[in-house]
Amino acid sequence: MDKLIEKIQFYYETILQNAPTFLMGLLVLIVGFGIANFGKKLTENRIKSRVQNTLSRLFIAQIIAGVIKIIAIVLFLDLIGLQNITTKILAGAGILTFVVGFAFKDIGENFLAGILLAFKSPFKENDLIESENIIGYVKELRIRETIIKTTDGKDVFLPNSQIINSPLINYTIDGFLRNEFMLGLDYSSDISKAIQVVIESVSKTEGVLLGDKKPTVIIDEFAASTINLKVLFWLDTFKSSSKSYHLGIRTQVMKNALVALTENEFSLPSNIVEVKQYEG
């Protein structure tokens, strides 16, 4: 305790004796942090043309700002006369890294994973992704985690290492998202005509893509009561990344298909149970 008090008193006296230098160091610290914040914004703007991914630009800018702040702190300690602390910090960096590496293994792993994600850019802001059964829209890439907004409005802080080490599905990276739903028709129905009716109704729905991504209907299964048709159609996610927008189009497509089949007198039966009675 005496040694601790003696050390604190020594540092206090040192600061008092070097008040002008301390003020200069404080000015350097403030300016350094100001440069770090300015450098962060400048970096984002300068690399905007080269790095299209907003998340990657922000991540790189955060790292550069962090390095500048560390340099400012080291200069501050050196200017106010605490060279011993600065020397010990720099000399012990290797040992500290080795010791802390075990204690903060996951943090270090997530940090490195964040760097890989920033440069590899497997997703961008507002992309719909899935990792470890978590589905949502990417909102921010941080040094340790990626923030995802799920389709039901929850904010999930997903560790970067989990994204790197697990399969990642990006539903919207190319701007196209496929939707599908099932229709069950009676076995006596004219399937060819039904398919044509559904394709025409889906194609007329606003928001559904045509051309190479035109709607498709296939026979999926011969079920116990119905012949099941699978209806597939594509949406343009670049028009809107909102989940409600996609669900609205899907709902309209299903309504149009149902109306078209009903107008053409197609039956969509529920489950049919056949009861047989045997003699005895």
Side-chain angles (χ1 to χ4, degrees), residues 35-49 51 56-62 64-65 68:
I35 293 175
N37 294 330
F38 175 76
K40 179 180 177 181
K41 296 180 181 179
L42 181 63
T43 302
E44 287 187 66
N45 294 329
R46 291 295 296 272
I47 65 176
K48 189 174 183 179
S49 59
V51 182
S56 298
R57 292 200 304 267
L58 180 60
F59 186 85
I60 295 171
Q62 287 176 343
I64 293 176
I68 295 175

Side-chain angles (χ1 to χ4, degrees), residues 262-280:
T262 303
E263 289 178 351
N264 284 271
E265 299 182 349
F266 282 97
S267 174
L268 284 76
S270 57
N271 289 335
I272 299 174
V273 179
E274 183 177 347
V275 180
K276 292 185 178 181
Q277 184 177 359
Y278 298 93
E279 293 183 4

